[in-house]
Amino acid sequence: MNKIFYDLNDKQIEAVKVIDGPVLVISGPGSGKTRCLTHRVAYLISQGIRPGSILSITFTNKAANEMRERISHLLEVKPQFNKGLISGRLSAMPMMGTFHSVCLRILRKEIPILGYKSNFSIFDTNDQLSLIKKVMANLEIDPKKYNPKLILNKISKLKTDLIFPENYNPAEFFTKIVSRVYNNYQAELKKMNGLDFDDLIVLTVKIFKRNPNILEKYQNFWKYILVDEYQDTSHDQYTLIKLLSAKNRNIFAIGDDAQSIYAFRDADIRNILNFQKDYPDAKVIFLEQNYRSTKTILAAAQNIISKNQTQVPKELWTENTQGEKIHVRETLNERAEAEFITDQMDGLLESGYKIQDFTILYRTHAQSRAIEEALITRGFPYQIIGGIRFYERKEIKDILSYLKFMVNPTDLISFERIYNVPTRGIGETTFNKIIATPEIDIVRSIGVLAKERGDTKQAKSLTEFKKLLTDLSDKKDDKNLTSIIKYVIKRVGYEDYLESLVAKKELYDNTADKMENLKELLTVSKKYDALGGGEGIEKFLEEISLLQETDKLKDAANRVTLMTIHSSKGLEFPIVFIAGMEEGLFPHSRATLVPLELEEERRLCYVAITRAKDRLIMTHAKYRNIFGRTEANLPSRFIYEMPQEVLKIQPLFVDNYFEDDVIEY
């Protein structure tokens, strides 16, 4: 028993010891949320509650496994999985998992009541999109006029809102199209004994609502329900939990409304804000003591989040030191921003920090490019969480290979990458014949083979390929580098090629994101536009090659971590850099005129700030080249929403942008 309460503060102990009835724990960042949750499960078991009657739901399998390990350590039992679902068999551990994994277990037993077989398949996103396109073709709905991805997203939203095909009767023209596709899509899924990811929760809710006896079976089995990150629950998840907990009402919800940042994934902040309306007798406990950050960092976070109207008021506090002021630096552009960040890291390394102590956060993945280049040039190994290094991304390498071949038509490595990008039906045998005699011009060799094949489909393909390469070669000296890259992308038909890969399930990424990365490549190319086309290509490729070669020399044991702010939730670092603190970027331009979206951006800033333990450094650029254009943005409003006395502001003076005057408030 002492082990369960060891190292818990009074509020955590209070939350752990409440056994019966609804409980809401508002857990601020760095306040020991996971510790509170795991110790509560251990306490319930220590009080004689059957482990199998406890259901603990998390948002990631990693979190569930971590909880399982901690609980087993507290109880000194093996961290085995509870395999006795609805069997009544005593298990040493409770049921722990994500919403989807728990529902999958339920459906394997109960789904025959809906007319499916228990061995159903689960369709991933690409399978879903392929089926949507097939359904649209059968219904003679033009995919160029009505975007299949948009329709799929709309169907996913309908499912999350628990709107089934039979209950969806819209009045507007487009939504009527969606309704037709939705009906047929769901029918096709059922015909193939398939479920999509949304169906795992949605069909479980459908079974529970239509079959009270089945619902009661699970209510009797799981008498104690714990939900982590309650602020991130969507409507279907909220409904599932409400149904399961309705009989015993032993629901323990823990989370932080101020860290609700996933509205784009259908998270509904109202679920946590309205908890006391759903359960008027709920006990509400606040975990406000922060064990992570300095007083200065907490003051900044508290001040920013206080500007939100939609929130549960709370006052974070800490016994940690006051700490350094928050450094806010304005730079001329994104390259100067990246240089400043690497300069700061150099100085901090000299003062005793390690390279793994640093993280660089940004609002969008496209911001990583300039930072990556600076890190590579300065010799800092790094890793990107939730993304691929910019120059290692497929779409970037494909277009660079075209440029390399334009400059050097004997470059067989680049030719090998592009000869079937897009797919041209050129097989390995034909490829080997093309490159059999390297001293012969490759383009000429393609023409020779085309003539040999006569009037065939492959001959036509080879002839078209030769014309493409000839056209590209002719253009390389006529235009500046940016125009050349745009021409390559268009002439090759690269966007259509990406779409074809998605359709064939050979690519599992978002086409729009990949095209955005190519736009970012245009940002890089602009600084070479003053040179002639051919010379610009050569200098551009040379610099990139040097960057990549430098990267190979670095020790990868310790690395700087780069990620979007959304990816950083739940993590902490001694030193945090937040790049791009600019209006239109952070907060994002699409949120500035919509109050609820602006509040979510503010919560995102709150999350970013509270990742920092020791020091927080923010940067913003006067001019930023991003997505292929130059933007001039004002500093983020979030800078002015922090207490000015905790800031050390380093402005940029346009007349002398090397000046390092510092303003301390």
Side-chain angles (χ1 to χ4, degrees):
M1 182 67 69
N2 288 338
K3 193 173 184 180
I4 291 174
F5 296 130
Y6 176 73
D7 209 24
L8 298 182
N9 62 38
D10 290 343
K11 287 292 182 181
Q12 290 170 333
I13 291 173
E14 182 183 357
V16 164
K17 292 181 75 172
V18 180
I19 293 180
D20 299 315
V23 181
L24 173 65
V25 178
I26 301 295
S27 178
S31 63
K33 174 176 64 69
T34 303
R35 185 190 310 161
C36 181
L37 195 60
T38 53
H39 283 244
R40 176 181 168 80
V41 173
Y43 179 74
L44 291 176
I45 296 172
S46 74
Q47 295 302 294
I49 291 170
R50 183 175 62 85
S53 68
I54 301 170
L55 171 64
S56 181
I57 298 181
T58 65
F59 272 81
T60 65
N61 289 315
K62 180 181 177 183
N65 292 335
E66 182 182 340
M67 283 184 59
R68 193 176 289 110
E69 291 287 345
R70 291 194 190 188
I71 293 166
S72 66
H73 176 71
L74 288 170
L75 297 174
E76 298 179 346
V77 296
K78 291 183 179 180
Q80 63 195 62
F81 289 85
N82 185 337
K83 297 180 180 178
L85 180 62
I86 316 303
S87 67
R89 181 175 61 80
L90 186 65
S91 171
M93 294 295 287
M95 170 69 77
M96 293 184 180
T98 64
F99 280 97
H100 292 94
S101 66
V102 170
C103 288
L104 177 59
R105 300 272 297 273
I106 294 171
L107 290 176
R108 290 296 184 199
K109 292 181 66 69
E110 312 296 348
I111 203 168
I113 203 166
L114 295 179
Y116 293 80
K117 296 178 182 177
S118 295
N119 64 341
F120 56 83
S121 300
I122 301 172
F123 282 38
D124 64 21
T125 304
N126 292 287
D127 294 332
Q128 291 174 253
L129 189 59
S130 296
L131 183 55
I132 287 286
K133 289 178 178 178
K134 176 185 173 184
V135 167
M136 289 176 68
N138 291 340
L139 295 174
E140 298 183 344
I141 298 171
D142 187 355
K144 293 182 180 178
K145 192 173 181 181
Y146 303 101
N147 190 325
K149 287 183 180 178
L150 186 62
I151 292 176
L152 180 58
N153 289 339
K154 179 65 176 173
I155 290 172
S156 178
K157 183 69 172 67
L158 289 168
K159 288 187 177 186
T160 300
D161 291 339
L162 297 175
I163 299 172
F164 300 101
E166 59 269 26
N167 306 125
Y168 185 50
N169 299 300
E172 296 179 2
F173 184 77
F174 174 71
T175 48
K176 284 185 176 181
I177 295 288
V178 173
S179 178
R180 289 175 63 205
V181 176
Y182 187 11
N183 268 285
N184 283 270
Y185 168 74
Q186 209 59 30
E188 287 295 318
L189 276 174
K190 191 169 186 178
K191 190 186 297 182
M192 292 184 280
N193 198 36
L195 274 61
D196 63 24
F197 210 57
D198 294 315
D199 286 332
L200 294 177
I201 297 174
V202 169
L203 295 186
T204 302
V205 170
K206 179 181 272 192
I207 289 171
F208 284 168
K209 283 188 171 183
R210 291 184 176 181
N211 303 275
N213 58 320
I214 295 178
L215 171 61
E216 188 176 15
K217 177 172 66 173
Y218 287 90
Q219 288 174 336
N220 291 337
F221 190 75
W222 289 319
K223 294 180 179 178
Y224 297 88
I225 299 174
L226 300 89
V227 186
D228 192 11
E229 305 286 11
Y230 195 73
Q231 78 281 352
D232 292 335
T233 53
S234 54
H235 178 68
D236 55 339
Q237 293 167 342
Y238 160 83
T239 304
L240 176 74
I241 293 301
K242 197 168 184 184
L243 287 168
L244 283 171
S245 62
K247 182 176 182 180
N248 299 294
R249 303 184 76 256
N250 295 324
I251 176 172
F252 180 91
I254 188 166
D256 182 8
D257 60 289
Q259 296 185 69
S260 179
I261 60 173
Y262 296 126
F264 67 97
R265 296 180 188 167
D266 294 320
D268 191 341
I269 193 174
R270 293 174 299 181
N271 295 344
I272 193 167
L273 295 177
N274 294 336
F275 190 88
Q276 289 172 273
K277 291 182 181 178
D278 292 333
Y279 306 96
D281 58 333
K283 185 174 184 60
V284 182
I285 300 167
F286 289 85
L287 302 184
E288 297 170 303
Q289 182 176 1
N290 179 284
Y291 293 94
R292 176 187 301 156
S293 306
T294 64
K295 288 182 172 70
T296 295
I297 291 168
L298 278 193
Q302 185 72 52
N303 229 54
I304 281 179
I305 203 63
S306 68
K307 302 294 188 290
N308 273 5
Q309 299 298 310
T310 310
Q311 65 166 310
V312 178
K314 63 188 77 65
E315 289 291 332
L316 303 180
W317 63 277
T318 185
E319 294 179 347
N320 295 339
T321 61
Q322 188 66 37
E324 298 281 339
K325 287 192 173 188
I326 296 168
H327 193 167
V328 180
R329 173 63 186 254
E330 181 182 26
T331 65
L332 184 65
N333 52 37
E334 76 281 359
R335 294 189 303 277
E337 176 183 59
E339 286 297 323
F340 169 75
I341 289 172
T342 52
D343 283 344
Q344 290 292 300
M345 289 195 298
D346 265 333
L348 290 164
L349 286 171
E350 289 179 7
S351 68
Y353 284 100
K354 298 177 181 178
I355 199 165
Q356 65 264 34
D357 292 335
F358 306 130
T359 188
I360 304 171
L361 305 180
Y362 35 76
R363 181 64 179 81
T364 65
H365 270 304
Q367 290 172 254
S368 77
R369 192 266 312 162
I371 297 169
E372 286 186 68
E373 289 188 1
L375 291 171
I376 292 168
T377 302
R378 296 285 286 273
F380 288 108
Y382 67 93
Q383 61 178 341
I384 293 183
I385 304 299
I388 302 171
R389 294 182 178 219
F390 186 79
Y391 291 112
E392 293 177 4
R393 292 165 178 152
K394 170 184 165 48
E395 61 276 17
I396 302 299
K397 296 185 78 169
D398 286 345
I399 300 305
L400 290 180
S401 292
Y402 269 103
L403 294 177
K404 288 176 182 178
F405 190 77
M406 287 166 65
V407 173
N408 179 14
T410 62
D411 183 345
L412 297 183
I413 301 300
S414 293
F415 180 73
E416 185 173 9
R417 185 174 186 94
I418 65 172
Y419 80 89
N420 247 348
V421 173
T423 305
R424 300 182 175 91
I426 300 175
E428 188 175 348
T429 302
T430 303
F431 170 76
N432 289 331
K433 285 185 178 180
I434 292 171
I435 65 169
T437 51
E439 67 273 15
I440 298 176
D441 184 281
I442 288 176
V443 176
R444 182 173 174 273
S445 182
I446 294 171
V448 171
L449 277 176
K451 288 182 179 179
E452 290 178 359
R453 301 293 161 89
D455 187 21
T456 63
K457 185 178 180 181
Q458 190 181 64
K460 184 180 178 182
S461 178
L462 288 168
T463 301
E464 289 176 353
F465 187 32
K466 180 189 176 185
K467 187 175 188 313
L468 167 67
L469 296 178
T470 302
D471 288 349
L472 295 180
S473 179
D474 291 342
K475 294 290 184 184
K476 78 172 187 295
D477 293 316
D478 294 347
K479 301 172 178 288
N480 60 37
L481 178 59
T482 301
S483 298
I484 290 170
I485 294 175
K486 287 180 179 178
Y487 181 80
V488 170
I489 294 169
K490 184 177 180 180
R491 180 67 177 83
V492 166
Y494 197 77
E495 186 169 7
D496 290 339
Y497 163 65
L498 291 176
E499 291 285 2
S500 72
L501 292 184
V502 170
K504 292 186 291 186
K505 295 183 284 188
E506 293 176 15
L507 181 68
Y508 296 90
D509 294 315
N510 187 296
T511 300
D513 289 347
K514 289 192 169 291
M515 293 306 295
E516 288 255 317
N517 289 333
L518 289 176
K519 288 181 183 177
E520 183 61 11
L521 187 65
L522 299 177
T523 298
V524 187
S525 70
K526 282 186 176 179
K527 65 179 180 180
Y528 300 92
D529 282 351
L531 301 172
E535 185 183 2
I537 296 174
E538 290 177 6
K539 292 293 183 185
F540 173 59
L541 294 173
E542 181 180 287
E543 182 170 315
I544 291 173
S545 296
L546 289 173
L547 285 172
Q548 292 175 314
E549 198 58 39
T550 306
D551 193 30
K552 294 174 186 175
L553 303 176
K554 305 307 166 194
D555 177 13
N558 300 311
R559 303 180 181 186
V560 180
T561 301
L562 279 65
M563 69 185 105
T564 63
I565 300 168
H566 281 102
S567 298
S568 73
K569 189 163 173 286
L571 303 177
E572 60 180 43
F573 295 86
I575 311 291
V576 171
F577 295 88
I578 306 177
M581 292 291 294
E582 298 147 31
E583 285 292 304
L585 188 58
F586 192 30
H588 198 283
S589 57
R590 64 171 173 259
T592 53
L593 299 177
V594 184
L596 288 178
E597 290 188 18
L598 181 58
E599 290 208 350
E600 175 140 339
E601 290 288 299
R602 192 173 282 116
R603 292 194 293 270
L604 192 58
C605 187
Y606 175 82
V607 167
I609 290 171
T610 53
R611 299 312 94 196
K613 296 171 70 175
D614 300 344
R615 296 193 186 189
L616 178 62
I617 301 165
M618 296 179 167
T619 58
H620 59 98
K622 187 170 183 64
Y623 304 102
R624 184 175 297 276
N625 297 292
I626 192 167
F627 303 139
R629 61 182 182 269
T630 301
E631 298 179 349
N633 296 324
L634 294 171
S636 170
R637 69 188 70 193
F638 299 146
I639 293 172
Y640 305 110
E641 291 180 355
M642 292 185 283
Q644 298 300 290
E645 65 272 12
V646 305
L647 303 182
K648 180 175 77 173
I649 296 182
Q650 213 170 355
L652 168 74
F653 293 96
V654 177
D655 294 334
N656 183 6
Y657 59 80
F658 294 108
E659 193 166 346
D660 284 333
D661 289 351
V662 174
I663 299 175
E664 294 200 16
Y665 292 89

